[in-house]
Amino acid sequence: QVPETLHNIRTIRALGLEDYMERRYDRCIGAGYAAMERTNFYDALYSPVVLVLNAVVVGIVMLLSASGDPTVLTFFGMSVGTSVAVINYISRIFAPIENLGMEIQHGAGFTVSEMVSSRALVYHDHKTVSLLKAQPNGAPYGVQIFGEVPEIMGEAAAAIEEYDFDFLDINMGCPAPKIVSGGAGSKLMLDPDLCGKIVEQVLAHPSRPVTVKMRKGWDADHITAVECAKACEQAGASLIAVHARTREQMYTPGIDLDIIAKVKDAVHVPVLGNGDIHTAEDAVTMVRETGCDGVMIARGALGDPWLFERVNAALEGAPAPKEPNLQARMNALRRQVEEMVEQKGEFVAMPQARAQTMHYMKGLKGAASLRRYCCELTHLEDIDRLIEAVFDQQRKAGLDPDDTRQIPFP
């Protein structure tokens, strides 16, 4: 656990969490640790890592993206969280997802919950509150909220103070029609002053750091990322993630690396780049050409949680990790669906699992027919039949699915 602990300490420093974690340390460490020397907080944090850092939870969905945006917010397509690797700061990937445990296991440096409505939080909607819960995974965990009214956003932040998370993320990047039609998400990019007021109101309530996820702008005539980033930083935001497309562009064409570089030059807080990171080389290129402090990964990791490991290795100049074989891929698929069922129940989780499992069929022989199996998933035990069909299709194609050698991910 030593390397992971050191990565978490870098994350804490990058987000300015030292004071907050000191207070958490005071609350969490009981009489059994009372005699522990306190002169060096990081040394103290290093030893009781299970008690302190494992108290940090991971829920799923930012690098902050939202609703299908690499921010989970259906960051991973599955309402995933966002995964980010912050070079020199975090050295790990950040992931917004419904199922963050797997992302942490494969290298996510910190994670964010699914995007939740500020109004729903103020009204204490129990279904919305359930989205905030996450399993302890030993890495910092943030809650992402959206809304367009500064006062309501502030009230929402105050309403969730009792929950166990480490930072609050504000979504200003979701392009979904149902979000922007109400004035939230990427619609906020049309009003930099409003962006600043929202951050200011949110910071007036919680004792935790506040981060922001935004886009390049609204459309070609409103490229406002720099202005919005400055307003958010001035209001007190600790970190800013930028998806390098406008709302009008949604997810095509390619990203504009120049806007990430401009935001990085304009502010002094850490900046994460986001968009079109499907390989380790994509991440290295983004960091090199923009100077950003890290990258946020979302859709690129659908069905491929090992992408985090490859990106971390590339950013750190380490040898590329071994690729998973077919059995490892199916084990990951099964565990992801199991965790979704544990969190949401079979009735809600299994329909969502249909889309998630399809991503694991990528590159397999008979993928088209296997995706039809995915569409028929209704009960958790159906996963076993799907996996059996996967192996059968590979055998029919003359492959040996029981081969334990490492094979490249398609």
Side-chain angles (χ1 to χ4, degrees):
Q1 288 184 311
V2 172
E4 287 75 11
T5 300
L6 296 177
H7 283 307
N8 289 335
I9 289 175
R10 284 202 290 271
T11 301
I12 289 168
R13 288 170 172 162
L15 292 176
L17 282 165
E18 295 99 324
D19 291 340
Y20 170 69
M21 290 302 286
E22 283 261 22
R23 293 195 294 274
R24 166 173 280 199
Y25 173 92
D26 291 333
R27 294 197 304 269
C28 294
I29 302 302
Y33 290 99
M36 182 175 289
E37 188 172 69
R38 296 292 308 283
T39 55
N40 188 324
F41 168 64
Y42 295 109
D43 288 343
L45 177 65
Y46 180 90
S47 296
V49 60
V50 174
L51 187 57
V52 181
L53 287 181
N54 282 0
V56 179
V57 291
V58 181
I60 187 61
V61 185
M62 181 203 126
L63 170 38
L64 302 180
S65 228
S67 116
D69 195 341
T71 127
V72 133
L73 307 180
T74 42
F75 282 119
F76 271 25
M78 76 179 156
S79 249
V80 91
T82 294
S83 299
V84 182
V86 181
I87 191 153
N88 294 330
Y89 288 97
I90 298 175
S91 311
R92 290 289 182 184
I93 300 173
F94 164 73
I97 308 184
E98 279 182 3
N99 176 10
L100 293 178
M102 187 180 300
E103 281 52 57
I104 288 296
Q105 176 185 343
H106 289 287
F110 59 95
T111 54
V112 176
S113 72
E114 293 187 60
M115 181 177 67
V116 295
S117 165
S118 56
R119 282 188 169 83
L121 290 174
V122 171
Y123 298 150
H124 303 290
D125 178 73
H126 72 281
K127 291 183 179 180
T128 298
V129 171
S130 68
L131 298 177
L132 307 180
K133 300 177 181 179
Q135 300 297 318
N137 283 301
Y141 164 66
V143 167
Q144 186 181 79
I145 62 176
F146 73 90
E148 77 288 356
V149 181
E151 292 74 19
I152 294 179
M153 289 286 281
E155 291 177 26
I160 58 176
E161 268 290 277
E162 63 185 275
Y163 294 96
D164 191 14
F165 62 96
D166 300 287
F167 62 96
L168 192 60
D169 184 61
I170 301 174
N171 185 290
M172 298 182 182
C174 178
K178 66 179 180 180
I179 303 299
V180 299
S181 62
S186 54
K187 189 66 174 287
L188 294 172
M189 301 301 294
L190 289 172
D191 192 342
D193 289 338
L194 179 58
C195 292
K197 291 176 182 178
I198 288 176
V199 173
E200 184 178 335
Q201 284 295 312
V202 170
L203 275 168
H205 295 278
S207 57
R208 303 168 175 87
V210 171
T211 62
V212 176
K213 166 66 184 302
M214 63 177 59
R215 278 188 169 244
K216 175 181 177 180
W218 177 253
D219 56 26
D221 296 324
H222 300 87
I223 308 300
T224 56
V226 171
E227 291 80 3
C228 290
K230 286 182 176 180
C232 290
E233 178 187 39
Q234 185 174 0
S238 299
L239 178 148
I240 296 170
V242 182
H243 180 79
R245 292 188 183 91
T246 64
R247 191 271 174 177
E248 181 181 50
Q249 293 175 310
M250 298 295 278
Y251 299 107
T252 56
I255 59 172
D256 175 17
L257 292 176
D258 187 53
I259 193 63
I260 299 176
K262 288 180 179 179
V263 171
K264 175 59 183 173
D265 290 340
V267 300
H268 300 91
V269 297
V271 173
L272 305 181
N274 172 235
D276 285 359
I277 298 178
H278 300 283
T279 67
E281 291 71 25
D282 292 335
V284 172
T285 298
M286 178 175 286
V287 172
R288 181 180 64 245
E289 296 190 12
T290 69
C292 63
D293 301 295
V295 297
M296 180 173 70
I297 300 173
R299 293 172 301 139
L302 285 168
D304 181 18
W306 302 273
L307 176 59
F308 306 149
E309 298 176 6
R310 300 196 296 273
V311 169
N312 281 327
L315 290 178
E316 295 170 358
K322 291 182 178 181
E323 298 287 351
N325 57 26
L326 182 60
Q327 185 63 63
R329 290 171 60 184
M330 293 301 101
N331 289 344
L333 179 155
R334 183 197 304 275
R335 185 54 191 153
Q336 178 176 327
V337 176
E338 288 176 345
E339 291 186 359
M340 291 174 68
V341 171
E342 290 172 3
Q343 294 170 8
K344 300 186 174 185
E346 189 177 75
F347 182 78
V348 174
M350 292 310 296
Q352 296 178 355
R354 295 167 189 164
Q356 297 310 308
T357 54
M358 286 185 187
H359 294 288
Y360 286 90
M361 305 301 110
K362 182 179 175 182
L364 297 179
K365 297 297 182 180
S369 62
L370 291 172
R371 283 192 285 269
R372 286 195 288 272
Y373 272 92
C374 297
C375 293
E376 297 172 357
L377 295 175
T378 303
H379 303 289
L380 183 57
E381 55 264 28
D382 294 340
I383 291 297
D384 294 326
R385 288 190 284 274
L386 170 62
I387 293 176
E388 182 179 351
V390 167
F391 279 83
D392 286 343
Q393 288 282 2
Q394 308 320 296
R395 292 190 182 95
K396 290 178 181 178
L399 302 178
D400 180 9
D402 299 315
D403 192 340
T404 58
R405 291 176 298 174
Q406 304 295 325
I407 60 176
F409 188 87

